[in-house]
Amino acid sequence: MASVLYVEDEENDVFFMRRSFDRAGLEGTLQVVLDGQAAIDYLAGNGPFANRQEHPLPEVVLLDLNLPMISGFQVLNWIRNQPQLRDLPVVVFSSSARPEDQKLAQELGADDYFEKPGSGFDFGRVVKALSSKWLGRVSPAPACRTIPARS
């Protein structure tokens, strides 16, 4: 079962991304965690994420930079320092248009950088671009769910 791990704390962005994935025929491929620590725990298979049947290792990570607990930059750095995850595609999806953020993401090993559109209704264009470039090997999984943030 293939999946995309979307690391995002903004409820509206999660809603629009799910909707865009569903409309693109990718329903069920999106796994959502709400903070940087949950992303690391998910990818490491720690705690509640130990069952890979329920929490499959993703084919792609879609990563916001501005996250609670641990930033997207720190998550990206952690991923690139894990031998088993070094080749995992990481696509930054951020509202930051700052060139220094894009440069740092690239230096830390991001495979791509998408700036969030001004309207959630435009997330469909992002999903199309993601699909054509990164999601070619992803097939739909049975469920789309949000994994709660840690207390």
Side-chain angles (χ1 to χ4, degrees), residues 7-113:
V7 187
E8 175 60 68
D9 64 316
E10 292 293 328
E11 257 182 63
N12 288 336
D13 290 352
V14 171
F15 171 81
F16 285 113
M17 188 60 74
R18 278 191 176 151
R19 185 171 179 220
S20 297
F21 264 71
D22 290 351
R23 287 187 171 187
L26 297 167
E27 52 280 298
T29 62
L30 202 61
Q31 300 287 322
V32 178
V33 294
L34 304 174
D35 64 62
Q37 183 61 57
I40 289 172
D41 289 343
Y42 185 104
L43 292 168
N46 292 334
F49 307 111
N51 182 337
R52 285 296 181 208
Q53 293 293 329
E54 290 182 32
H55 307 288
L57 198 59
E59 301 261 340
V60 178
V61 174
L62 187 57
L63 180 64
D64 187 21
L65 295 177
N66 187 19
L67 296 167
M69 301 194 54
I70 294 177
S71 76
F73 291 119
Q74 292 170 299
V75 172
L76 178 57
N77 187 55
W78 179 87
I79 290 170
R80 292 303 178 234
N81 283 298
Q82 306 307 304
Q84 71 276 19
L85 300 175
R86 272 198 194 119
D87 295 329
L88 177 64
V90 177
V91 176
V92 171
F93 185 58
S94 176
S95 56
S96 174
R98 296 175 44 189
E100 56 270 26
D101 285 347
Q102 293 176 16
K103 182 179 181 201
L104 180 56
Q106 182 180 25
E107 288 171 358
L108 290 172
D111 294 286
D112 214 339
Y113 194 106

Side-chain angles (χ1 to χ4, degrees), residues 13 93-95 114-126:
D13 290 352
F93 185 58
S94 176
S95 56
F114 286 94
E115 194 176 322
K116 287 182 185 176
S119 167
F121 294 106
D122 293 329
F123 276 39
R125 285 187 226 151
V126 173

